[in-house]
Amino acid sequence: MLHENLSINAMGHLCIAGADTVSLAKKYGTPLMVMDEQRIRRNLRIYKEAMAKHFGEGSFPAFASKSFSCKYIYRIAREENVGIDIVSSGELYTALEAGFDVSKSFFHGNNKTDFDINYGIDNGVGYFVVDNMTELDAIDRVACEKGIVQKVILRLTPGIDPHTHASIMTGQVDSKFGIAIETGQADEAVKYTLTKKNISLEGFHCHIGSQIFDIKPFCDAGKIMIEYISHLKKELGYEASILNLGGGFGVRYIDAQPELDYEEFIRLISRFIDDEVKSSGIKKPTIVMEPGRSIVADSALTLYTVGGTKEIPGFKSYVSVDGGMPDNPRYALYQADYTVCLASRMNDKADFRCTVAGRCCESGDLLQENVDLPRPQRGDVLAVLVTGAYNYSMASNYNRIPRPAVVGIKDGEDFEIIKRETFADLTRNDL
Ligand SMILES: *Cc1c(COP(=O)(O)O)cnc(C)c1O
């Protein structure tokens, strides 16, 4: 199957981490997201071990928690002793609630509000990843008021096109994120940052995009960033101690995509970095990476109950399920690839080509098109695989549909991670 944590049992049911998805759907209801905890920990450890081995002791992954943010995941990050990347005060609050030590956090975003800056500093956020100079002024002012020196790194755009979907591409010069090296603005930003008394510039950050299968853009980015660091040492005598290379490693959603060897990717990137460090004579910075998708995506799947099936002669067939864009907006947003299967009848012949539609009053509410399934019947359990990243964290209550429950599997036991929303939750803030 697509990943080693998926299997089919004697009843022809789809299993994740050995747990029967049809039984889980019955026990918890649908839509339901099911997460394999061991897989999350395994993915984190691959990064942790490969980074320590190839980049050196002190280098570490910071889980990009926008991909899946809830107390459970921050507890796992704490137990696995990794850092986190957060993008809002809400994510910071959630991490604090989970007892996460946020001195190991990177606070991102292209528009941190004054509230965010105050809240972050008051709670001891490790690093702000500064996106622009007006933001730097604001952080400096708040840090001065509070009588502290705040650590920051600057987000730079290395000018790289990683060939992924335009909505998830971020390393090019024309981006809403970061400061361009190419235009000379990065040099100005560094000089300006070094004049700030309440700011300590620790280094730099870049993030070239997401769902990237090619190693080259990562190696190029690493090389460009190290070259830039060495340029600064020569020009300004400034030496960066942290280089954060962001996230972006691709994940296998469909058979046609490869399963990447992340350790090998890290080894190759480190070769580029080491070559550049050696030839320029700079001190090798601590390398941080911010994987999100590649930590949680393949740990989860989403279960739905099939409702109606509709055949339109001469056109196509639709299968409707009891979730859709409220729990997974990624197909509606950018036609994301997913593998869909009929979890309750995995061994039946998949000879019915259809479009899987969500339940919302929106024609774009589709989960996938041109899927081959056994002809679904009302009540069958349908699974969309590899839904751990950017699904629950992007979920909404469109059409007043409660967000689904999230259930974890560990050592053969199932347990709730996030409760299903109730109708009362839907009206909680209505006056
Ligand atoms: C989204 C994002 C990440 C994570 O990207 P993945 O593709 O999920 O690994 C890391 N860093 C930054 C700054 C991001 O915006």
Side-chain angles (χ1 to χ4, degrees):
M1 296 210 59
L2 204 59
H3 293 286
E4 67 189 10
N5 57 350
L6 302 170
S7 59
I8 300 170
N9 68 13
M11 282 176 294
H13 295 170
L14 175 68
C15 298
I16 179 166
D20 184 321
T21 57
V22 178
S23 311
L24 290 169
K26 201 179 241 167
K27 179 170 175 184
Y28 294 99
T30 56
L32 181 73
M33 193 165 128
V34 185
M35 290 196 110
D36 168 6
E37 180 168 323
Q38 214 42 52
R39 185 78 178 187
I40 302 171
R41 293 183 188 271
R42 165 200 178 266
N43 291 342
L44 282 171
R45 288 172 195 169
I46 288 174
Y47 274 92
K48 237 177 21 178
E49 287 161 20
M51 290 180 70
K53 181 169 164 198
H54 300 293
F55 293 144
E57 290 301 326
S59 289
F60 62 94
F63 170 62
S65 63
K66 70 174 194 267
S67 60
F68 181 64
S69 179
C70 64
K71 282 161 58 171
Y72 165 81
I73 203 76
Y74 294 113
R75 285 196 291 265
I76 291 190
R78 187 187 65 196
E79 287 165 17
E80 294 293 330
N81 195 24
V82 296
I84 55 169
D85 143 359
I86 51 174
V87 295
S88 72
S89 293
E91 286 184 356
L92 172 54
Y93 171 82
T94 310
L96 290 166
E97 284 279 289
F100 191 87
D101 170 8
V102 298
S103 69
K104 287 186 298 191
S105 68
F106 292 81
F107 198 140
H108 277 276
N110 64 308
N111 187 16
K112 299 169 194 76
T113 63
D114 286 353
F115 177 88
D116 292 334
I117 292 166
N118 275 281
Y119 190 65
I121 290 180
D122 287 344
N123 285 292
V125 153
Y127 305 84
F128 282 95
V129 185
V130 173
D131 182 83
N132 55 71
M133 290 300 103
T134 43
E135 178 177 293
L136 183 81
D137 286 338
I139 296 171
D140 184 51
R141 176 172 44 75
V142 176
C144 178
E145 282 162 17
K146 296 183 193 292
I148 63 136
V149 174
Q150 177 62 45
K151 289 191 282 189
V152 308
I153 59 178
L154 296 183
R155 178 162 182 170
L156 306 181
T157 48
I160 282 174
D161 172 359
H163 303 293
T164 187
H165 193 285
S167 322
I168 50 178
M169 188 166 99
T170 51
Q172 70 283 15
V173 172
D174 177 6
S175 169
K176 79 164 185 170
F177 298 106
I179 305 163
I181 294 177
E182 214 167 300
T183 58
Q185 286 166 300
D187 280 358
E188 294 309 310
V190 172
K191 283 184 210 152
Y192 185 65
T193 303
L194 291 172
T195 67
K196 296 287 182 185
K197 284 198 205 53
N198 293 86
I199 297 281
S200 167
L201 178 61
E202 302 290 314
F204 301 99
H205 172 275
C206 70
H207 169 71
I208 57 175
S210 197
Q211 186 62 350
I212 302 166
F213 287 96
D214 185 4
I215 183 64
K216 189 167 181 301
F218 293 106
C219 293
D220 291 348
K223 184 169 151 69
I224 291 170
M225 294 299 283
I226 293 281
E227 277 170 358
Y228 187 65
I229 288 171
S230 104
H231 154 85
L232 289 177
K233 188 181 175 200
K234 271 189 226 116
E235 298 299 315
L236 305 178
Y238 169 75
E239 212 160 357
S241 57
I242 291 182
L243 173 58
N244 182 329
L245 294 173
F249 286 179
V251 170
R252 185 179 206 208
Y253 284 87
I254 54 172
D255 278 327
Q257 292 166 337
E259 186 160 8
L260 295 182
D261 179 347
Y262 301 130
E263 182 190 347
E264 180 61 6
F265 265 43
I266 288 166
R267 189 182 71 81
L268 291 170
I269 296 169
S270 85
R271 287 214 331 229
F272 274 73
I273 287 177
D274 287 349
D275 285 352
E276 223 28 65
V277 164
K278 234 178 256 147
S279 67
S280 63
I282 57 164
K283 177 171 96 275
K284 185 173 174 179
T286 298
I287 309 289
V288 178
M289 292 184 90
E290 298 171 324
R293 187 189 306 279
S294 51
I295 302 300
V296 285
D298 63 16
S299 75
L301 51 75
T302 306
L303 302 173
Y304 303 94
T305 300
V306 171
T309 300
K310 179 183 298 186
E311 288 174 61
I312 311 173
F315 293 89
K316 59 182 164 185
S317 302
Y318 286 91
V319 172
S320 294
V321 297
D322 58 352
M325 64 187 283
D327 60 87
N328 183 357
R330 292 189 67 250
Y331 193 79
L333 273 176
Y334 32 70
Q335 290 73 56
D337 293 318
Y338 281 107
T339 300
V340 180
C341 48
L342 209 57
S344 45
R345 290 193 279 127
M346 293 297 285
N347 295 330
D348 288 9
K349 195 159 177 241
D351 55 4
F352 184 72
R353 173 149 292 209
C354 56
T355 287
V356 179
R359 61 173 296 179
C360 287
C361 294
E362 193 80 39
S363 297
D365 175 23
L366 305 176
L367 286 167
Q368 203 63 207
E369 292 176 277
N370 300 317
V371 174
D372 292 323
L373 298 175
R375 181 179 290 265
Q377 284 156 14
R378 191 175 175 88
D380 270 329
V381 177
L382 181 143
V384 176
L385 309 182
V386 193
T387 55
Y390 308 108
N391 274 223
Y392 196 91
S393 63
M394 282 188 173
S396 75
N397 289 128
Y398 184 50
N399 287 183
R400 287 256 144 161
I401 293 168
R403 286 181 182 78
V406 182
V407 161
I409 309 291
K410 190 191 179 191
D411 304 329
E413 304 284 325
D414 50 88
F415 52 93
E416 276 185 304
I417 292 171
I418 305 176
K419 282 199 285 198
R420 184 178 301 285
E421 280 183 336
T422 62
F423 290 148
D425 290 329
L426 296 175
T427 56
R428 196 176 48 211
N429 298 320
D430 293 5
L431 303 175

